[in-house]
Amino acid sequence: MRVLVVAESVFGNTRRVAEEVAGGLADELGATGEVRIADVTEPVEDLDGVDLLVVGGPTHAFAMTRMSTRRSAAEQAGDGAEPAETGLREWLAALPEAPGRAQAAAFDTRVDRPRLPGSAAAGAARRLRRLGYRLVVRPETFRVTGTRGPLREGELDRARAWGAAVARAATAAVGTA
C-alpha cells in the first residue's frame, strides 16, 4: 500500500505529529507499505498509485489556516518569519478528484482549551469526501498547550497509535472492497 502524508506546520508541532503518524503507518504496514511525507508547500503530485492520502494541519481561527492566520502566526513566531503562501486549504483546493478507490484520513493540531469550536481536520475531511475519497477513520485532533506549543504530553505516542489504526482501517477496507 502506497501512503502519502501531507502536512502543514507553522510552529513545527503538526510536522512532528505527521512524522509520528507516518511512523505508525509504516510500523503497521511493514514491508507491504511505502509511506512518504510531503509538505503542503510542495505542489500536488500525480496521486495515481497512492492508495491512502493522510492530510494534517493546524487549526487557526476555528478552521484550516488562511493567509491572514498564517501571517498572524508568522508575526507571533518573530525573528522575521514569513508566512507560507500555501496552506492545507490551498493544497486541498488544488487536489484533483480521487483516483480510483483512493482512501483518506485527516488530522489537526489545536490549542488544548475546553469547548473551543472548529477543526481543520473536519474541514479537510469534508473536502476529501467531496473529491471522492473514502475516509477510513474519523478526523483526529492532537492538542498543543499553547499557540506555539509544545504538544501536550503523550500526543506523539497517540499520533503513532492513530497512524497504525489508520493503516489497519485502510487495509481492512481494501480487503472488503
Side-chain angles (χ1 to χ4, degrees), residues 5 16 18 34 48 55 64 66 69 74 79 91-92 107-108 116-117 121 132 139 141 146 153 156 158 160 168-169 177:
V5 179
R16 291 180 66 207
E34 175 190 325
D48 283 338
V55 300
M64 288 183 277
R66 293 176 169 77
T69 64
D79 297 325
W91 193 90
L92 287 169
F107 70 91
D108 65 13
L116 192 61
T141 292
E153 188 174 331
L156 292 177
R158 208 167 66 74
R160 193 171 199 93
R168 285 191 297 275

Side-chain angles (χ1 to χ4, degrees), residues 42-58:
E42 297 176 29
V44 174
E45 62 183 61
D46 179 7
L47 297 179
D48 283 338
V50 172
D51 304 299
L52 174 63
L53 174 63
V54 180
V55 300

Side-chain angles (χ1 to χ4, degrees), residues 7 18-19 27 46-47 55-56 63 71-72 76-77 82 86 93 112-113 121 123 127-128 136 146 154 168-169 174:
E19 289 167 354
D27 290 347
D46 179 7
L47 297 179
V55 300
R71 193 175 301 114
S72 176
Q76 289 177 35
E82 290 293 321
T86 302
D112 192 16
R113 292 198 184 109
R127 174 73 179 150
L128 289 165
V136 295
R168 285 191 297 275
V174 169

